[in-house]
Amino acid sequence: TAVRLVGGRSRCEGRVEMEEGGSWGTVCDDAWDMADGDVVCRQLGCGRAVRVHSQATFGRGSGLILRDDVSCEGHEDHLWDCPAVTEHDCNHKEDAGVVCSEHQEWQLSGGRDGCAGRVEVFFRGTWSTVCDSTWYGTEAKVLCRSLGCGEPLRQLFFHHTLPSRMLYQCESLQPSLAHCRWAYNKSAPCHQSRAAGVVCNGMGC
């Protein structure tokens, strides 16, 4: 038996799917809450739940619906250790989802559109700026591509005005900045840094 998150922007966000008897299936959103999400996030090494979702927020799954009325207390080691029923009257428009604290998502803010501006990352339930100490061409290229914004045109620099800071170091091109080396709220490498920004050549909404 295994669990995974599907349809999100990282392995720590998405529609909850379980494997049982060699087949993957979904979980119905009836009674789905933060305690249930906490168990899934911890089981995946993704921290804790910061948001839970219902009504197939991350798209509709296919195949079986394996659990309904899940009622974890939050301390269980595995989702299948929680009380639940296997008989249900659900369909896939009720698939449950979760966003875990170790999920990272990015935005560019303060620019002409979503493809230009200050780099901001949502992590552990809050938005942070990114230190420019190790922000070079590779990091900018990874970010522009992962946002669907093409390639970086030029770097921008801003002030840190958010409470937390993230640092990224990409040795090579990766699918997202979360796949690079990163450090959260480490003061030394971010000391006297500015907040990184970028203009990508694509057009954002």
Side-chain angles (χ1 to χ4, degrees), residues 5 14-16 27 29 32 37 51-54 58 95-99:
L5 297 176
R15 179 177 65 250
V16 178
V27 174
D29 63 16
W32 184 252
R51 294 197 290 268
V52 289
H53 289 282
S54 56
F58 297 104
D95 286 343
V98 65
V99 180

Side-chain angles (χ1 to χ4, degrees), residues 80-101:
W80 47 86
D81 296 335
C82 300
V85 297
T86 51
E87 298 293 315
H88 64 84
D89 56 358
C90 303
N91 63 43
H92 285 297
K93 72 171 189 279
E94 298 170 84
D95 286 343
V98 65
V99 180
C100 304
S101 58

Side-chain angles (χ1 to χ4, degrees), residues 21-173:
S23 297
W24 288 92
T26 63
V27 174
C28 187
D29 63 16
D30 295 339
W32 184 252
D33 62 17
M34 292 291 276
D36 307 322
D38 274 338
V39 172
V40 172
C41 292
R42 197 171 60 252
Q43 186 177 345
L44 289 170
C46 285
R48 58 185 174 77
V50 291
R51 294 197 290 268
V52 289
H53 289 282
S54 56
Q55 297 177 316
T57 298
F58 297 104
R60 297 184 184 195
S62 57
L64 299 170
I65 296 171
L66 295 173
R67 294 288 188 279
D68 189 16
D69 290 320
V70 176
S71 49
C72 304
E73 291 181 12
H75 59 74
E76 294 87 350
D77 290 331
H78 306 102
L79 182 59
W80 47 86
D81 296 335
C82 300
V85 297
T86 51
E87 298 293 315
H88 64 84
D89 56 358
C90 303
N91 63 43
H92 285 297
K93 72 171 189 279
E94 298 170 84
D95 286 343
V98 65
V99 180
C100 304
S101 58
E102 296 302 292
H103 163 69
Q104 297 181 33
E105 64 187 71
W106 300 270
Q107 66 182 17
L108 293 173
S109 77
R112 57 163 197 253
D113 60 18
C115 287
R118 185 172 73 173
V119 183
E120 297 175 357
V121 52
F122 183 78
F123 179 64
R124 294 185 185 164
T126 187
W127 286 98
S128 307
T129 43
V130 173
C131 306
D132 71 351
S133 331
T134 56
W135 186 262
Y136 303 113
T138 306
E139 291 78 15
K141 187 173 280 201
V142 168
L143 178 67
C144 287
R145 288 183 178 185
S146 71
L147 291 174
C149 287
E151 301 290 326
L153 281 177
R154 66 177 188 275
Q155 308 273 35
L156 303 173
F157 300 99
F158 296 88
H159 293 295
H160 292 289
T161 57
L162 299 175
S164 312
R165 298 182 189 185
M166 185 73 93
L167 187 82
Y168 292 104
Q169 282 181 282
C170 303
E171 307 293 327
S172 59
L173 285 177

